[in-house]
Amino acid sequence: MKGVVFLGDRKVAVKDFPDPEPKKNEVLVRMKASTICGSDMHVYRASREELKRRPKDLIAGHEPGGVVEEVGENVESIKKGDRVSVFHIYGCGYCEMCRKGYPMYCTTPGAVSALSGNVNGAMADFLVVPWWACMKLPCELSFIDGAVLGCAGMTAYQILTKLNVTARDTVAIYGLGPLGNCAVLLAKALGAKVIGVDLIKERISLAEKIGLDISINANYEDPVRQIKNLTSRKGGADVVLEFTGNPTAVSNAIRSVKPLGKVGIMGAGPRITEPVIPPGIFPSQGIWITGARVSNVNLFFDCVNFMIDHDISFEKVVTHRFPLEKAQEAFELFDTLKTGKIAFIW
């Protein structure tokens, strides 16, 4: 089979690998769609020296959608031909955290696996995972929906659910990349009024096409002032979501929320190295600041049903599709920050 590996210094390669076989409690999934996530770009942009800490020839990608090709011993709940989305982090499957739907917090030492982190990922013709990492994908949703659900889609749904966003709310979103635009789609379906902030006109345009109510280009406007003006009766947005990992954006997000409002910080990436949240804001404004490490896997079913009931598809946030053989071109294009989601299609 073919698979994509990171070489460092913004280079990838498509290499040949032996076709994998499922072992006990595992399934073999034939990929139909695999999407590039913003977190993939941290590895893509890393130097060759930095990637020496990464297992050699580890296959990239952690947003898979596909069809079960073969099942291993002891697998009874999934069968060949099932359409599946694959949750990209899995643990032992048996501890308290795994049973509660939080495999990223698995308490069994050494049991946590992350696609493209310490086990082979989804940018390949086939993927082997434990059966419990697979979620049956209803026929109403596409394989691209299944791929985006594997990380970005459920992450957006998780924070909106955690902050209990409803039609009563005005939601401000900092960062209109693929994750932010998934949040735009879902927040609009929840009935919220949505204000979006970004620096890149192409991403702003895409957000407007998929339903954004008001856009703010932070190159030309003060986003905090604009949001405060637009929500003057409330004193700020009810909910603010931050998806960029930029310290300035995090600070602006906190300053954009109303007293007693809620802030979800999901973009705390490697650029945030110093504290940006002033402790005094909690007693003075009474706001709630939270975050989430991707999604808890048990929200998959809620999210899928919500998408079907509201006729939502994450295909709207996908702007480009490539065959796996053009992986270098796909990553170079995504690195411009002027696209929506990019998908590999089989």
Side-chain angles (χ1 to χ4, degrees), residues 146-287:
V148 178
L149 275 164
C151 180
M154 283 180 61
T155 299
Y157 188 75
Q158 157 83 345
I159 196 63
L160 290 165
T161 302
K162 190 172 184 179
L163 297 179
N164 193 30
V165 171
T166 72
R168 299 188 302 269
D169 295 322
T170 295
V171 177
I173 296 177
Y174 279 81
L176 297 173
L179 179 55
N181 277 333
C182 286
V184 171
L185 274 178
L186 294 167
K188 287 300 300 176
L190 287 165
K193 180 177 181 179
V194 184
I195 303 169
V197 181
D198 209 296
L199 300 167
I200 300 169
K201 64 180 182 179
E202 289 85 358
R203 288 189 162 178
I204 292 173
S205 295
L206 178 58
E208 291 172 340
K209 288 178 183 177
I210 65 177
L212 185 69
D213 293 299
I214 300 171
S215 60
I216 298 171
N217 189 322
N219 284 308
Y220 309 109
E221 303 174 276
D222 180 339
V224 177
R225 181 180 298 173
Q226 286 293 95
I227 292 169
K228 290 284 190 176
N229 287 340
L230 291 165
T231 58
S232 57
R233 287 182 295 104
K234 299 180 179 182
D238 299 282
V239 175
V240 183
L241 306 179
E242 202 294 310
F243 291 116
T244 74
N246 183 291
T248 299
V250 172
S251 176
N252 285 344
I254 294 168
R255 293 163 57 212
S256 300
V257 75
K258 72 178 186 180
L260 303 182
K262 296 175 283 189
V263 179
I265 299 174
M266 303 297 289
R271 287 177 291 176
I272 297 182
T273 57
E274 298 293 335
V276 295
I277 301 173
I281 201 165
F282 294 101
S284 66
Q285 297 294 310
I287 67 173

Side-chain angles (χ1 to χ4, degrees), residues 323-337:
L324 199 66
E325 291 74 16
K326 294 188 176 181
Q328 183 66 46
E329 182 181 345
F331 272 94
E332 287 177 1
L333 182 60
F334 196 66
D335 199 27
T336 67
L337 305 180

Side-chain angles (χ1 to χ4, degrees), residues 15 46 82 94 160 262 277-278 339:
K15 295 190 174 185
D82 282 347
Y94 305 108
L160 290 165
K262 296 175 283 189
I277 301 173
T339 74

